[in-house]
Structures are given as structure tokens and as C-alpha cells.
Amino acid sequence: MAQKRKDKAKKRVVKIAAVGQAHIKASFNNVIISMTNEAGQVITWATAGKMGFRGSKKNTPYAAQTAARDCAQKAYDLGLRKVEVFVKGPGSGREAAIRTIHSVGIDITSIKDVTPLPHNGCRPPKRRRV
């Protein structure tokens, strides 16, 4: 008989300090919020889709607010107290997510926009004909 393998992958242990980072990616379709420690290891995350919003409701400020509240509350319970916020993307839920993180009780030390901007890199797609 074949023997069963008993070696399992070890779960990664993340150190949670009082200071960390909040990354908000707000695209036109969804909002992704992740709280990390200083090293960039994810402590907790949430998206508008994970909160139950579907379709065009995912890119609303209310969906971003709900996702940010869930993510920030979990991080606060784990011991996160101060964050630097990094915002990426053109979506509509950027400000709502930042305000909600602050309302949970997490202090925001700085807000940085890290949206990538092309320096006339790739050629754009051809114009749409409708």
C-alpha cells in the first residue's frame, strides 16, 4: 500500500507592530484594501467584491467604505494603530476608504499617491469606432 505524505506547508507568521501601511487600489471595477506591516507583509485585506457587492456597485464610494471598515477593524483588533496610506488608481472610492480607516481609530501619518504614470511608454490602442 502507498503511504500517505504527512508533510504540510508551514503557515507564514506575520509580525504585527503598532505601525504599518495601508494600500488602497481603486480601479474602475473594484476597490482592494490591504493592511501591511512595515516590511510589506499583508496583515489583513478586503475588497468590495468580498463584501458582497457585484457589478457596477463594486466601484462606488459606499462599497469602498464598507471594505475599508472591515479591513481596518480587523487590523485594529490585531494591534495596528498608525498607518501610512498608499493610494493607487483612478477609482471613485479613494477618499471614502481613507476617511473610514481614520474613523475606525487608526491614525494616518501620511497619504501618498502611487498611481503609475507612463512617460510616453507604450503606444495606445487604436480609437474605438462605435
Side-chain angles (χ1 to χ4, degrees), residues 36-113:
T36 67
N37 60 9
E38 286 288 288
Q41 296 173 316
V42 175
I43 297 168
T44 179
W45 63 275
T47 65
K50 184 181 172 187
M51 303 316 297
F53 294 95
R54 288 283 171 251
S56 61
K57 294 183 187 78
K58 283 196 295 188
N59 61 357
T60 59
Y62 178 69
Q65 178 183 334
T66 309
R69 182 178 295 117
D70 179 59
C71 187
Q73 192 62 55
K74 285 180 186 172
Y76 188 84
D77 294 341
L78 289 170
L80 195 66
R81 294 295 180 263
K82 286 186 179 182
V83 291
E84 290 180 76
V85 178
F86 296 95
V87 186
K88 183 185 279 191
S92 58
R94 297 157 45 116
E95 288 82 17
I98 293 169
R99 261 188 243 111
T100 307
I101 290 171
H102 181 70
S103 71
V104 167
I106 297 175
D107 292 329
I108 295 173
T109 56
S110 68
I111 301 170
K112 292 181 184 172
D113 192 354

Side-chain angles (χ1 to χ4, degrees), residues 5 11 13-14 16 25 34 43 53 55-56 67 92 95-96 99 103 109 120 123 125:
R5 294 179 61 187
K11 189 175 179 184
V13 178
V14 178
I16 300 168
K25 183 180 182 290
S34 51
I43 297 168
F53 294 95
S56 61
S92 58
E95 288 82 17
R99 261 188 243 111
S103 71
T109 56
N120 273 353
R123 179 176 174 162

